[in-house]
């Protein structure tokens, strides 16, 4: 990306995050590094996807913010404006780290490719170099790293839209990991609604549409110049048709939606959802971290240190060793579902890895391109 565009665009995104208080100081630092990693790429595509995801994700986060704040219970208490608070560096990296790595790999790949093409112009390129050389534009059956970058943002955008808009659905969420699809409180990890799925598809489509608009797709005209767009041998099959574009958009849009579904499955299985007994609402950890819950119902009776605390003080709010309960020995928070193996950020990161890598594998299988090509020019 040209510095004359990248520098002011990065500064604008950082200023917006600072002025809107959508990111913590650590989050702003992580977002700045992420923006730089995306801006290093010679195409505008990675930076555009990052910007679209950030702006669109911030927008849906603030949709009926006060309403959403009343549907769940923050573990640390509500923020001053009723929202969920600024996002941390962990949340930023959970959504964008995979795309950053793939972007840097593809930027290096294009740089190496360009050096070979310059060698072609100087007469120093061998036949073996040309046989393994791709193109500098995005060919049909081309670079798998590009598919991974788009798939990452399609999936995390779908998940963001599904979470932020799906919770507003009039339908009661159903637990996707339950054989009976039992109803669960709003905000439960693994809880899905049709409205949430539709919102997820919308987020995915926004990313994919932006990607196709900014992808430097190879055409019959551009592939005629080997120095600029690849070898003559590759140009015969590199150009895109309208059907090719539609196939790519359909595949990636659905892949993004599947990412949202996968996030729900992983969250429902490996992320613990904690319900406040009194209100019946799900308790959300600040910054996507785990929510503490003292014991499962009844287990407090078997704790050995209970005998050291007089019954009159066991539930005294002034006692730091008190049991979180209503004073009758019953816990105020209980586990709604899920194993306490991952927090929300870890679920998001794992989902992004799986969807990016599997998208590259699927595209490689369809195109007949080996996955090992991501390490070659």
């Amino acid at each position: 990306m040209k510095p004359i565009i990248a520098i002011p665009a990065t500064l604008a995104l950082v200023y917006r995050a600072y002025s809107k208080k959508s990111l913590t100081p650590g989050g702003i630092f992580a977002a700045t590094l992420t923006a730089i990693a995306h801006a290093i790429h010679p195409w505008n595509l990675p930076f555009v996807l990052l910007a679209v995801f950030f702006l669109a994700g911030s927008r849906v986060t603030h949709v009926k913010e006060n309403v959403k704040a009343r549907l769940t219970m923050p573990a640390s208490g509500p923020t001053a404006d009723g929202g969920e608070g600024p996002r941390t560096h962990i949340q930023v990296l959970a959504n964008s780290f995979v795309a950053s790595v793939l972007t840097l790999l593809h930027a290096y790949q294009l740089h190496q490719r360009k050096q070979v093409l310059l060698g072609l112009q100087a007469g120093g390129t061998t036949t073996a170099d040309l046989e393994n050389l791709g193109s500098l534009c995005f060919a049909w059956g081309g670079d798998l790293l590009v598919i991974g970058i788009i798939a990452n943002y399609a999936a995390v955008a779908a998940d963001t839209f599904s979470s932020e808009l799906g919770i507003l659905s009039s339908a009661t969420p159903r637990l996707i990991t339950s054989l009976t699809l039992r109803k669960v409180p709003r905000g439960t990890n693994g809880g899905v609604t049709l409205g949430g799925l539709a919102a997820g598809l919308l987020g995915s489509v926004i990313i994919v549409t932006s990607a196709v608009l900014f992808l430097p797709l190879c055409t019959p005209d551009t592939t005629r110049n080997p120095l600029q767009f690849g070898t003559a041998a590759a140009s015969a099959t590199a150009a895109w048709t309208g059907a090719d574009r539609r196939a790519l958009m359909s595949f990636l849009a659905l892949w993004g939606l599947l990412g949202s579904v996968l996030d729900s499955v992983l969250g429902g299985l490996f992320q613990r959802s904690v319900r406040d007994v009194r209100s019946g609402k799900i308790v959300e950890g600040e910054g996507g971290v785990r929510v503490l819950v003292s014991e499962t119902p009844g287990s407090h009776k078997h704790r050995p240190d209970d005998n050291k605390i007089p019954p009159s003080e066991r539930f005294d709010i002034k006692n730091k060793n008190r049991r979180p309960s209503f004073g009758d020995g019953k816990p105020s928070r209980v586990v709604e579902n899920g194993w306490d193996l991952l927090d929300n950020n870890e679920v998001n990161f794992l989902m992004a890895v799986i969807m990016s890598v599997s998208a590259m594998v699927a595209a490689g299988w369809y195109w007949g391109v080996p996955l090992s090509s991501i390490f070659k020019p």
Side-chain angles (χ1 to χ4, degrees):
M1 190 174 184
K2 294 181 179 180
I4 194 173
I5 300 175
I7 294 175
T10 300
L11 292 176
L13 289 177
V14 170
Y15 176 75
R16 187 185 188 282
Y18 174 78
S19 62
K20 299 289 185 180
K21 297 182 179 179
S22 56
L23 298 175
T24 64
I28 291 177
F29 180 72
T32 302
L33 294 181
T34 300
I36 292 173
H38 285 61
I40 287 174
H41 198 284
W43 297 354
N44 293 333
L45 173 73
F47 192 91
V48 167
L49 294 183
L50 173 65
V52 170
F53 169 68
F54 172 70
L55 295 175
S58 298
R59 182 68 187 91
V60 297
T61 297
H62 294 299
V63 171
K64 295 187 177 181
E65 192 172 23
N66 293 330
V67 175
K68 290 187 289 189
R70 294 193 295 268
L71 297 177
T72 58
M73 176 176 291
S76 58
T79 58
D81 59 358
E84 64 179 45
R87 297 184 182 275
T88 67
H89 63 288
I90 300 297
Q91 290 172 295
V92 171
L93 295 177
N95 288 314
S96 62
F97 182 78
V98 175
S100 297
V101 171
L102 297 181
T103 295
L104 292 175
L105 284 175
H106 191 245
Y108 177 75
Q109 191 177 60
L110 289 179
H111 173 75
Q112 293 296 100
R113 193 175 297 170
K114 185 176 181 179
Q115 296 306 308
V116 174
L117 290 173
L118 290 174
L120 168 64
Q121 186 183 43
T125 304
T126 65
T127 303
D129 291 329
L130 296 177
E131 288 178 352
N132 296 321
L133 189 64
S135 60
L136 295 182
C137 58
F138 188 50
W140 172 255
D143 301 335
L144 300 181
L145 287 170
V146 178
I147 298 296
I149 296 169
I150 301 173
N152 175 93
Y153 281 115
V156 296
D159 177 53
T160 300
F161 273 61
S162 181
S163 300
E164 297 294 342
L165 300 181
I167 196 172
L168 297 172
S169 173
S170 58
T172 302
R174 292 183 177 272
L175 187 62
I176 195 172
T177 54
S178 169
L179 294 178
T180 59
L181 295 178
R182 68 179 177 88
K183 294 182 178 181
V184 290
R186 298 177 190 277
T188 301
N189 300 310
V192 298
T193 63
L194 290 179
L197 293 175
L201 181 59
L202 173 62
S204 182
V205 167
I206 289 174
I207 291 293
V208 172
T209 301
S210 301
V212 172
L213 289 176
F214 284 89
L215 266 175
L217 300 175
C218 296
T219 66
D221 292 332
T222 57
T223 53
R224 292 188 187 124
N225 186 341
L227 177 60
Q228 199 171 21
F229 297 103
T231 66
S235 67
T237 57
W240 287 70
T241 65
D244 295 337
R245 290 187 180 90
R246 290 190 293 272
L248 179 72
M249 291 184 69
S250 299
F251 165 69
L252 289 173
L254 291 176
W255 207 259
L257 176 60
L258 287 177
S260 175
V261 174
L262 175 62
D263 188 90
S264 296
V265 172
L266 293 175
L269 290 175
F270 305 120
Q271 183 182 353
R272 184 175 63 188
S273 294
V274 177
R275 174 168 52 85
D276 178 72
V277 175
R278 179 174 299 173
S279 65
K281 297 178 180 180
I282 294 297
V283 183
E284 292 189 334
E286 184 178 1
V289 300
R290 289 178 171 87
V291 175
L292 299 179
V293 58
S294 56
E295 312 95 355
T296 54
S299 64
H300 66 283
K301 298 177 181 178
H302 306 291
R303 291 184 55 163
D305 60 346
D306 271 351
N307 294 328
K308 302 178 183 179
I309 305 174
S312 60
E313 300 179 7
R314 194 167 297 169
F315 305 104
D316 187 352
I317 194 171
K318 297 179 181 179
N319 184 355
K320 66 179 182 179
N321 296 315
R322 72 186 181 93
R323 304 293 175 258
S325 76
F326 300 126
D328 56 1
K330 296 181 180 179
S332 59
R333 293 178 180 180
V334 296
V335 176
E336 176 68 27
N337 69 284
W339 297 320
D340 188 25
L341 299 179
L342 302 173
D343 65 20
N344 186 65
N345 299 316
E346 291 165 342
V347 167
N348 289 345
F349 178 74
L350 180 59
M351 181 274 289
V353 171
I354 292 174
M355 296 311 297
S356 296
V357 173
S358 60
M360 291 190 289
V361 171
W365 170 80
Y366 185 79
W367 281 338
V369 178
L371 189 62
S372 59
S373 66
I374 66 176
F375 301 109
K376 299 177 182 178

